[in-house]
Amino acid sequence: MSREVHNGPTDDNQARGTDTSGDAEGGEDAIALAQLPLDAWHRARGGRMVPFAGYEMPVQYEGIMAEHLWTRDHAGLFDVSHMGQLLFSGEAFDVALETLLPGEITGLGEGRMRYSLLLAENGGIHDDLMLTRLPAANAFEIEGGAIYMVVNGATKWDDLGVLREFLPDEVVINHLDEQALLALQGPQAVTALERVVPGVSALTFMTAAAFEWQGNPLWISRSGYTGEDGFEISLPGDAAEAFADALTAQPEVKPIGLGARDSLRLEAGLPLYGHDLDLETTPVAADLGFALSKRRREQGGFPGHARIMAERESGPIVKRVGLIVDGRQPVREGAMVLGSEGSEVGKVTSGGFAPSVQKPIAMAYVPLALATPGTRITLAQRGKVHSAEVVAMPFVPHRYVRKG
Amino acid sequence: MSRYYTEDHEWVEVDGDIGTVGISEYAQGQLGDIVFVEVPEEGKELTKGDDAAVVESVKAASDVYSPVSGTVIEGNDDLADNPALVNEDPEGDGWFFKLTLSDPDEIDGLMDEAKYAAFVAKL
């Protein structure tokens, strides 16, 4: 038995677009891997550790399927401490960030979050990220205003290079590499977290505020990467174990690995950098138009503005769509989309068996003519042809708790 | 009746010149939740080491190699509707296919249960 075709976030190099297989057992030359604050905690709970983004991380505990379904029904605790947490402060930090990101930052209210993209000169995507404008009361002891940003783990060092190169020296970048980051996701996340940190239920989707737990400052947002209601909690690394214990002591909460994180985000229709997004994809082709705010579209001043606006006008050549595959066999990243002549016209960028849908699903880039929901599509994988249908995403309805 | 194992974690149970093939308890544990299995069709000629079946977990697809040479006489149809059988009973009801051995001497190159247990213990 071999393991040779893979996808999902189990690979140190995938987000750099290198051609390696993300072996769930970490079957690649291990470079020196770093340990995260919860390393021993995961092992003590039976976490199967694999190399990912330069760290050893738990891909699963009891099993991906059970963890996935637990999160949809109850609450799952994810360690996402590998992700980069950055602070931007100093003179006109928000104006400066707008030169690299296409979203509304100067007009972003305190405690409000936005999804955004770090763009390359040609409109390609260096990374996707979340940013928040910090209020005076924040957990990071920073005064005079700042933007808190969370970027992908595998790309954080490259991102820092780009940010440092293009932002003026007056903007201070603080890499919070001592901070842990935990995500508590699922319909019972609010019940469990409110018990541990009273007051969090007042947050609504895409807002954040400072809290405290046993003398430790917490920065908590109501956001996540599963399509469920939930929270992301930034806290000092040396408090992470005790806090994770407090959360998993709640009957609603179980620890969840990276495997289920990937299947949950796929069902939620959320792209994964290094797979569904990279330097070759533009925000328009990736169907992330919502990240381009109206004022910024009109005024420009971000990398690739002209190309992105032209693409919005004429339509992209290919577009990211969701697929439900016929039958039961998963069609995964790397499979080809075939045109009527049998030639390759697009590619599958993420795919797998969807535990909550009980069908194989995928994301793919297909020519605009094939991108309408309901269109039948032919795929080829390892010499075998599969049929699929283009569907609107998400595959599982989002259950975010929005304001009023 | 005796059972032999490969270093790739397939097993073959030999009864006369008929072999039943599957993957080991260790292999199903490594794979995790199995969501799809493709077994070979009756009549397929297999040489030892050929790709004989495909097993897919939530995370990955793997090829299953034939531990011996022969002609397939039956694939396990139950796995199409219930691939989780491989997780539940990998060395029983979760078998993949049966074949007529063309070269029974091939089993001399395989591990018996005790050897395989020692092999897995070292992984």
Side-chain angles (χ1 to χ4, degrees), chain A residues 98-134:
Chain A
E98 284 196 352
T99 64
L100 298 176
L101 311 168
E104 176 65 67
I105 303 175
T106 53
L108 186 62
E110 291 183 353
R112 306 239 154 229
M113 301 177 76
R114 285 282 183 279
Y115 174 82
S116 197
L117 302 163
L118 182 60
L119 293 176
E121 209 49 54
N122 67 352
I125 302 170
H126 278 297
D127 204 357
D128 65 341
L129 53 94
M130 292 291 240
L131 52 85
T132 315
R133 180 181 292 275
L134 294 183

Side-chain angles (χ1 to χ4, degrees), chain A residues 1-2 48 65 332 384, chain B residues 8 10 33 38 56-57 62:
Chain A
M1 197 186 78
S2 78
R48 187 182 289 181
M65 195 81 78
R332 304 177 193 267
K384 196 169 161 185
Chain B
D8 300 314
E10 291 94 9
D33 302 307
E38 183 177 59
E56 303 227 13
S57 68
S62 307

Side-chain angles (χ1 to χ4, degrees), chain A residues 178-255:
Chain A
E178 303 286 305
Q179 286 284 110
L181 188 65
L182 302 177
L184 188 69
Q185 300 282 300
Q188 294 174 344
V190 62
T191 310
L193 190 59
E194 180 70 28
R195 231 180 270 130
V196 179
V197 184
V200 292
S201 56
L203 293 171
T204 53
F205 183 57
M206 297 295 268
T207 66
F211 294 85
E212 196 173 278
W213 179 78
Q214 295 191 353
N216 295 289
L218 308 179
W219 180 251
I220 301 182
S221 67
R222 197 157 192 172
S223 64
Y225 196 47
T226 58
E228 298 296 326
D229 180 28
F231 301 84
E232 292 194 346
I233 305 126
S234 175
L235 74 167
D238 56 15
E241 266 205 27
F243 189 68
D245 280 338
L247 290 178
T248 48
Q250 309 306 312
E252 299 88 354
V253 181
K254 283 187 181 180

Side-chain angles (χ1 to χ4, degrees), chain B residues 50-112:
Chain B
D50 279 358
D51 291 353
V54 175
V55 57
E56 303 227 13
S57 68
V58 177
K59 280 230 66 70
S62 307
D63 288 324
V64 176
Y65 309 125
S66 189
V68 289
S69 305
T71 307
V72 176
I73 52 177
E74 189 186 355
N76 186 352
D77 293 336
D78 292 346
L79 300 186
D81 292 330
N82 190 8
L85 263 181
V86 180
N87 290 123
E88 291 156 18
D89 192 10
E91 304 203 24
D93 291 344
W95 60 275
F96 277 45
F97 60 94
K98 295 181 180 181
L99 78 177
T100 313
L101 272 62
S102 58
D103 181 5
D105 290 345
E106 283 176 344
I107 58 176
D108 296 345
L110 303 175
M111 291 178 275
D112 63 17

Side-chain angles (χ1 to χ4, degrees), chain A residues 4-5 11 28 61 109 121-122 156 197 257 308 330 345 356 383 387:
Chain A
E4 58 169 49
V5 185
D11 181 333
E28 60 180 73
Y61 302 85
E121 209 49 54
N122 67 352
K156 62 186 175 186
V197 184
I308 288 168
V345 296
S356 300
S387 300

Side-chain angles (χ1 to χ4, degrees), chain A residues 7 265-266 330-333 348-353 361-363, chain B residues 58:
Chain A
N7 74 338
R265 69 91 197 165
L266 180 59
V331 174
R332 304 177 193 267
E333 180 179 10
V348 172
T349 51
S350 280
F353 191 82
I361 62 171
M363 277 183 208
Chain B
V58 177

